[in-house]
Amino acid sequence: MADYSKQHRVATLSVATAFFLSGACALVYEVLWTRYLADLMGGTSLSHLVVLMTFMGGLALGAVLIGRLVDTGRNGLFYYGWLEIGIGLYAIIFPFLFDWVSKVFCGLGGGFAPGTFGLLFLKLGISFLLIAAPAIAMGGTLPAVTRYLTGSESVLRRNISLLYAVNGLGAVLGVLFGGFYLVYRYGMDAGLIYTGIFNICLGAAALGLARFFHHMDASVPQKSAEGDSCYPERKFDSLIYDPGVARRAIIGAGLAGFAGMALQVAWIRYFAIVLGATHSAFVIVVAAFIFGIGLGALAVRSRWFSAHSLYPALSATFLFITAILTLGLFFHARAPFEISRFLATVIKETPFAWPFYLTIKFGISFLLMLPVTMAMGMILPLCVRVASRGSGRVGHDVARVY
């Protein structure tokens, strides 16, 4: 048991590290794809919408498709490794594919008048086809690695919280690195190719880990009433919730996804007033959003949640988000003015002080979004655990909520 416990901890740490780096790569892609599609769509705001829509839709579809596969008994990390390699290969060929698709678009788009629905539909269709495949592959990674580490319901809450959190926190690094350094230092083509190579190395490492720890997706030994275990079983960690409660959790997850993306799009537009540039607003809002989600998911891993029923906590989370957003309506109109006035009193807009000025402005925007995004980060781990049916179909349980 002690050897298994140590082996499982090493595997968990290795997979968590890989998933952190995977999240960073995913958001580098999202930032770069937004830049590419801005040229195709003719506007940055529209490219933001298309990338977010396709990215989220691809994640959902990939989760469903891969989630069913990983429950068939094969090592989930094996699927994860090949998904990462596929994503990396696609990133490497993307610049060349985009050039070819742009020529096709110019040929087809000549038959439509500017501003017509037909031209818009063509832009949306081509943009979707360009990034749907890697987004679908990314969607399959969370069910795959969760299934790899999870053999019973009693560890599902902790595993899904850890993986969702580290992936989100890695994504913060990716969006900031991609948005403020990579594109300016190496350009979009080279940035995608370098990230793709890193992704391939990450996938190869995962395949090696899958071969070395090939039994980690088997059931984790559980603690008896007297014994010890690497994952102590607590009061509510093995609870199977009523089917009606599980259905409400899944519906809640869908509504939360709708509200979260609508809020993110609205915040990108809103914080452009404060941050001054649409691209900067996109990077900062996405980074703040994902950072809060990562912290919120990590909070669900705490011991408090193992000693309480999760459904009331889920309901309280929705109520908290509603209350904070409702109160915010009374301050949104004056917030940009108050932020600008505050910054004018604490720092001067000189060339020397400009980095500090931007850092403070970005930090304030982060803090304004943090309470809501942290609460949103708690929703997916809570919904996954409440909706779990306890039949050993961990991949399916994660996928249908995700």
Side-chain angles (χ1 to χ4, degrees), residues 166-182:
V166 298
N167 191 248
L169 295 175
V172 176
L173 174 65
V175 73
L176 294 175
F177 179 74
F180 291 125
Y181 176 76
L182 191 64

Side-chain angles (χ1 to χ4, degrees), residues 8-10 12-13 35 48 78 82 96 100 121 177 198 200 209-210 220 228 276 285 314 348 350 356 373 379 400:
H8 201 280
R9 281 196 296 270
V10 172
T12 301
L13 179 61
R35 293 253 180 162
H48 292 161
F78 175 84
W82 282 113
F96 310 101
W100 179 77
F121 184 79
F177 179 74
F198 183 81
I200 292 172
L209 185 65
V220 178
D228 293 325
V285 169
L314 182 60
K348 293 183 179 180
T350 63
F356 304 101
T373 55
I379 291 174
R400 63 178 179 162

Side-chain angles (χ1 to χ4, degrees), residues 15-16 19-20 23 56 59 141-143 145-146 149 156-172 253 256-257 260-261 289-301 373-384 398 401-402:
V15 170
F19 215 46
F20 176 89
M56 295 301 112
L59 292 179
T141 58
L142 182 62
V145 293
T146 305
L149 291 178
L156 178 57
R157 172 187 59 85
R158 298 184 68 202
N159 285 344
I160 187 66
S161 300
L162 173 66
L163 293 171
Y164 193 49
V166 298
N167 191 248
L169 295 175
V172 176
M261 286 301 102
F289 217 86
I290 300 172
F291 181 73
I293 284 175
L295 290 183
L298 207 57
V300 177
R301 188 173 162 80
T373 55
M374 281 189 66
M376 286 186 170
M378 298 171 67
I379 291 174
L380 183 131
L382 290 174
C383 285
V384 166
V398 173
V401 174
Y402 194 43

Side-chain angles (χ1 to χ4, degrees), residues 179-213:
F180 291 125
Y181 176 76
L182 191 64
V183 122
Y184 300 104
R185 179 67 177 82
Y186 298 106
M188 294 192 297
D189 290 355
L192 264 180
I193 292 171
Y194 292 155
T195 308
I197 293 171
F198 183 81
N199 232 147
I200 292 172
C201 295
L202 188 63
L207 291 177
L209 185 65
R211 184 176 294 275
F212 187 69
F213 293 120

Side-chain angles (χ1 to χ4, degrees), residues 305-344:
F305 288 93
S306 66
H308 298 82
S309 177
L310 298 184
Y311 187 67
L314 182 60
S315 302
T317 302
F318 279 113
L319 290 174
F320 174 79
I321 294 171
T322 303
I324 293 295
L325 290 178
T326 303
L327 289 173
L329 293 176
F330 298 99
F331 302 101
H332 278 176
R334 288 195 58 81
F337 170 75
E338 295 297 340
I339 292 172
S340 298
R341 189 169 70 170
F342 170 76
L343 288 170

Side-chain angles (χ1 to χ4, degrees), residues 240-252 311 386-387 389 400:
I240 303 300
Y241 291 83
D242 180 83
V245 172
R247 281 194 298 271
R248 288 194 289 274
I250 293 172
I251 293 171
Y311 187 67
V386 172
R389 303 311 310 134
R400 63 178 179 162

Side-chain angles (χ1 to χ4, degrees), residues 247-303:
R247 281 194 298 271
R248 288 194 289 274
I250 293 172
I251 293 171
L255 294 174
F258 171 83
M261 286 301 102
L263 182 62
Q264 185 170 330
V265 170
W267 273 350
I268 290 170
R269 299 289 186 97
Y270 175 76
F271 281 100
I273 303 171
V274 179
L275 301 171
T278 306
H279 178 69
S280 295
F282 174 78
V283 171
I284 291 300
V285 169
V286 171
F289 217 86
I290 300 172
F291 181 73
I293 284 175
L295 290 183
L298 207 57
V300 177
R301 188 173 162 80
S302 68
R303 292 186 177 183

